Amino acid sequence: MSQAYEETTDVRRPRRAPAVRDNSRHQWEKDRARRPADARADSGATERDTGLATRDLVFSAKYRRTEATPELAEAFGVPLGTPLLERTYRTRHTGESAPLSLVTSYLRRDLIEAEPRLLDATNEPWPGGTQSQLHTVGIEVDRVEERVTARPPTAQEALDLDLPPGTPVLLLRKTSYDIHDRVVDVAFTTLPGDRTELRFTTRLERW
């Protein structure tokens, strides 16, 4: 093999900021939901997952009013066409062009419209995240169900996440239930397989 060929094919990609997502993050978020705003604002879930400081991250959010599709109507247990709020989030390291993940979250508008700030993307990033937002309208999250699958990325996902060839994506579907067993948040997250670790700790009751 010629030296010229080795030099052109051995392209070293800069190491990308890794993220470790574990299921204890939901209790951590709930514990912070009722804390004062300044205490919630010091860091968020992304900082927790990556170990990065807030100053190292660039965050964006877009809101759109929409209606429940067949999939979302089934997920929320509501009629087709029920008004929803779609929220799209992107967070990236300041030294990178690609986001850490692609996140789209849905909330029922009838459950949150009493607090107009929850309908306005200019209030993002909200200190304390979604559980803190829901707390402002009296909603307490009781449990979070997560399902993870993997597949090759679409062409758009590969472009958006700047994925190396052959890198899969992890698809995380998160469903949050409140203490009345209502589905209050359905979120879809696309995670790049080259920088994401999913970690689960299951504590067992003692005999």
Side-chain angles (χ1 to χ4, degrees):
M1 182 181 293
S2 70
Q3 181 179 359
Y5 180 80
E6 291 179 353
E7 290 176 349
T8 57
T9 57
D10 187 21
V11 178
R12 305 292 183 181
R13 286 175 60 93
R15 184 173 183 271
R16 308 207 300 171
V20 178
R21 183 185 178 103
D22 69 86
N23 53 333
S24 64
R25 78 200 306 266
H26 307 304
Q27 184 61 56
W28 175 83
E29 184 179 347
K30 183 171 183 176
D31 291 342
R32 299 173 74 240
R34 295 184 295 173
R35 297 182 65 189
D38 57 347
R40 288 183 274 116
D42 60 357
S43 65
T46 301
E47 290 90 331
R48 182 181 184 275
D49 291 349
T50 63
L52 298 171
T54 302
R55 65 178 178 275
D56 298 322
L57 299 170
V58 178
F59 173 87
S60 66
K62 295 181 180 179
Y63 283 15
R64 182 173 73 96
R65 295 179 183 235
T66 187
E67 296 180 347
T69 61
E71 179 185 14
L72 289 169
E74 180 180 5
F76 278 101
V78 296
L80 185 68
T82 295
L84 302 176
L85 178 68
E86 178 187 273
R87 309 177 303 166
T88 302
Y89 298 111
R90 301 289 184 268
T91 305
R92 64 174 176 84
H93 187 280
T94 54
E96 299 175 359
S97 60
L100 293 158
S101 60
L102 310 175
V103 183
T104 304
S105 166
Y106 295 90
L107 303 175
R108 284 174 47 181
R109 292 203 329 243
D110 64 314
L111 297 181
I112 62 171
E113 57 192 7
E115 175 48 85
R117 292 181 300 163
L118 300 186
L119 302 171
D120 186 352
T122 63
N123 292 308
E124 294 280 6
W126 188 283
T130 296
Q131 289 203 47
S132 180
Q133 290 173 309
L134 294 174
H135 173 62
T136 65
V137 288
I139 295 175
E140 177 185 353
V141 174
D142 174 71
R143 69 186 189 278
V144 178
E145 178 185 277
E146 294 180 292
R147 302 178 184 179
V148 182
T149 56
R151 61 162 169 75
T154 65
Q156 189 62 52
E157 289 167 342
L159 180 65
D160 291 343
L161 294 169
D162 190 22
L163 296 176
T167 303
V169 290
L170 303 174
L171 305 178
L172 173 65
R173 173 171 167 161
K174 184 185 77 170
T175 305
S176 299
Y177 297 81
D178 73 357
I179 59 174
H180 304 294
D181 208 35
R182 296 178 300 185
V183 173
V184 293
D185 177 31
V186 177
F188 302 90
T189 302
T190 303
L191 300 158
D194 67 323
R195 70 195 300 177
T196 306
E197 175 184 338
L198 300 179
R199 184 179 300 173
F200 304 97
T201 301
T202 303
R203 298 197 179 278
L204 305 179
E205 294 184 8
R206 296 188 180 186
W207 288 333

